[in-house]
Amino acid sequence: MARIVMKFGGTSMAGTERIRRVARIVQRQQAAGHEVAVVVSAMAGETDRLVNFAREANPLYDPAEYDVVVASGEQVTSGLLALTLQALGCKARSWLGWQLPVRTVGAHAKARIDDIPAEALIASMASGEIAVIPGFQGLSDDNRVTTLGRGGSDTSAVAVAAAVKADRCDIYTDVDGVYTTDPRIVAKARKLKTVTYEEMLELASVGAKVLQTRSVGLAMKEGVRVQVLSSFIDDDAPPADSIPGTMIVSDAEVEGQDMERQLITGIAHDKNEAKITLTRVPDKPGSVAHIFGPLAAASINVDMIIQNVAKDKGETDVTFTVPRTDLARSLAMLEAKQSEIGFYRLISDAHVAKISVVGVGMKSHAGVAATMFKSLADRAINIQAISTSEIKVSVLIDEDETELAVRVLHTAYGLDAVDAAA
Ligand code: ADP
Ligand code: ASP
Ligand code: MG
């Protein structure tokens, strides 16, 4: 017997018929002799709808009230799943974020889970009851509803798994595992049997939205075994123990096991960034601090940064990227500080995409970046910025070339599945 946390995403929970399928998957898992807790997302599209309501009600919304509105989608699906499980004859109850409670810290709309008391949950699971928990929501120090940031139900699931010391956290979604790249973009994408925490963390942080980045960081820290698999399976499919999803594993688990492991694990794209260039910034100590200090103070995350070598007049251009949603705010802030920073022109471009190749193999192999640059050059794709980490190379390109770039790189690194259609 194992203790298993199962998480179902928005597409899996989209409507009563889909919820019935989910309930049957959960019922089968319990019938296989396991203790089960389930974490659910809102129905697909529901959180977007709720975000829009909050914006329409008040464009300068109070984040605490925004959280009250957007957390409600998960309340609906957790109740509906508990009802559906009961209709199948299972013992089930919902546990809302404030009831457990899922204690969070940090700002509204991007709160972080601090603690989940597990006694009540463990007792409920041990008694044969299925615990159904709405993902994405928590409770602040001052007992207000909080949410964890978009895609946050993955993090809720991993946190519940860590709290109840689950043997596994199964993330059920609308694809049957983690692929070498988004299978909705590249038909030749290959499903990976295993991905290391480190690789998955990097892939998620550069745009592979199959898992929320923070859920992977938490799983790595807490040693939670995470499996990604599909909820779109037949009613007579075997329980998750024998379904080939993708396991997220530690470095030690792959070393020496997977002889066919590729140099590059995967490729991700991200269309959520925008590029800003400041021209003719004085090349002297403090200039860059004047640019990035105010952005940091406003909690705007700067990602890629390039500063050119100074030209004859002791001036240089500085280019960087910010989240697209923060572009207007960043521009207004920089314009207001033009004389202090001393730049000449402020240029922005929201029509960009970041393409990243990720793989632990590149730690010990030269030439990964060179292959990337050459493959893109052969297709006349211009690189506007570059950034690297120990296991990742990212480039910024024109948004229109995203799909082409991902496909070209997928082939260049030998990742294409042999048996897939072109
Ligand atoms: P859920 O609603 O279940 O949380 P998401 O939409 O958040 O699902 O994540 C699943 C989606 O992630 C897939 O439909 C797929 O398009 C996308 N995706 C992006 N990169 C990858 C990848 N490398 N492997 C698998 N799916 C990916
Ligand atoms: N419903 C939330 C969202 O759409 C959380 C989640 O699905 O993970 O972002
Ligand atoms: Mg998701």
Side-chain angles (χ1 to χ4, degrees):
M1 187 200 71
R3 186 177 288 163
I4 294 175
V5 173
M6 309 169 77
K7 180 258 170 176
F8 293 89
T11 346
S12 312
M13 298 298 292
T16 44
E17 189 40 47
R18 288 238 50 94
I19 293 176
R20 223 184 315 278
R21 284 175 156 265
V22 165
R24 285 197 289 261
I25 297 174
V26 174
Q27 184 186 33
R28 274 210 306 281
Q29 187 71 283
Q30 194 190 38
H34 302 308
E35 287 181 7
V36 179
V38 190
V39 175
V40 294
S41 288
M43 295 190 195
E46 180 64 8
T47 309
D48 287 340
R49 200 173 73 99
L50 295 169
V51 168
N52 283 334
F53 280 144
R55 288 201 177 124
E56 277 168 30
N58 183 346
L60 297 173
Y61 51 76
D62 166 11
E65 298 305 342
Y66 165 95
D67 276 352
V68 171
V69 176
V70 301
S72 65
E74 272 77 7
Q75 171 158 343
V76 172
T77 47
S78 55
L80 287 175
L81 180 58
L83 284 170
T84 313
L85 283 164
Q86 289 167 2
L88 293 180
C90 302
K91 259 172 52 175
R93 75 152 277 191
S94 62
W95 296 84
L96 300 183
W98 62 268
Q99 291 170 328
L100 279 170
V102 177
R103 282 280 168 210
T104 62
V105 291
H108 276 280
K110 46 183 165 190
R112 285 171 287 113
I113 297 179
D114 185 35
D115 178 51
I116 304 178
E119 300 76 48
L121 266 184
I122 290 174
S124 147
M125 290 164 81
S127 75
E129 188 172 66
I130 297 168
V132 185
I133 301 157
F136 188 49
Q137 54 175 253
L139 195 68
S140 69
D141 269 354
D142 52 354
N143 291 334
R144 308 270 333 244
V145 172
T146 55
T147 62
L148 308 178
R150 299 305 304 271
S153 295
D154 297 330
T155 304
S156 307
V158 171
V160 169
V164 303
K165 302 201 172 20
D167 296 280
R168 214 174 56 226
C169 180
D170 286 339
I171 307 277
Y172 286 84
T173 181
D174 55 5
V175 286
D176 60 355
V178 178
Y179 280 70
T180 46
T181 194
D182 189 338
R184 299 190 192 285
I185 292 202
V186 179
K188 290 179 184 171
R190 252 185 322 110
K191 191 166 86 181
L192 298 162
K193 263 196 242 145
T194 57
V195 191
T196 68
Y197 288 114
E198 202 185 2
E199 288 168 328
M200 193 63 236
L201 193 61
E202 198 84 64
L203 274 172
S205 73
V206 292
K209 70 163 185 164
V210 60
L211 288 176
Q212 197 201 31
T213 311
R214 271 169 40 205
S215 71
V216 188
L218 187 63
M220 185 160 139
K221 184 168 143 262
E222 300 286 338
V224 176
R225 288 184 77 71
V226 175
Q227 175 173 225
V228 177
L229 64 177
S230 174
S231 72
F232 289 69
I233 48 175
D234 294 337
D235 268 356
D236 54 359
D241 315 82
S242 42
I243 294 174
T246 301
M247 280 304 296
I248 321 291
V249 298
S250 66
D251 266 359
E253 280 178 88
V254 289
E255 264 162 27
Q257 271 186 25
D258 196 349
M259 303 296 285
E260 289 172 31
R261 221 171 155 71
Q262 307 269 353
L263 177 59
I264 297 300
T265 309
I267 299 172
H269 69 278
D270 185 356
K271 295 184 179 177
N272 295 312
E273 293 196 13
K275 183 178 75 165
I276 297 179
T277 300
L278 302 180
T279 69
R280 297 176 53 191
V281 176
D283 185 31
K284 60 173 197 221
S287 278
V288 174
H290 275 133
I291 300 172
F292 296 117
L295 296 173
S299 298
I300 295 171
N301 281 330
V302 173
D303 181 20
M304 307 171 102
I305 303 176
I306 352 174
Q307 181 181 341
N308 291 336
V309 175
K311 296 172 209 143
D312 13 315
K313 285 193 211 123
E315 291 172 337
T316 179
D317 294 348
V318 178
T319 295
F320 54 93
T321 60
V322 295
R324 219 177 263 190
T325 44
D326 288 329
L327 177 62
R329 232 156 41 96
S330 308
L331 293 176
M333 199 167 287
L334 292 165
E335 247 158 43
K337 301 222 172 255
Q338 180 163 19
S339 54
E340 205 175 308
I341 302 169
F343 63 86
Y344 177 63
R345 280 182 65 205
L346 181 59
I347 305 163
S348 69
D349 183 1
H351 202 71
V352 290
K354 184 172 73 173
I355 314 293
S356 306
V357 299
V358 172
V360 283
M362 71 174 79
K363 278 184 190 172
S364 50
H365 281 78
V368 169
T371 302
M372 185 175 199
F373 304 153
K374 166 96 175 55
S375 312
L376 295 175
D378 286 349
R379 293 304 187 102
I381 296 173
N382 189 37
I383 297 172
Q384 305 178 21
I386 301 166
S387 70
T388 62
S389 79
E390 214 182 0
I391 64 162
K392 174 203 78 182
V393 184
S394 301
V395 294
L396 197 70
I397 62 169
D398 188 302
E399 186 182 342
D400 291 343
E401 295 173 325
T402 309
E403 278 76 16
L404 176 63
V406 173
R407 271 200 297 273
V408 163
L409 294 173
H410 200 262
T411 305
Y413 290 108
L415 296 175
D416 290 352
V418 255
D419 51 350

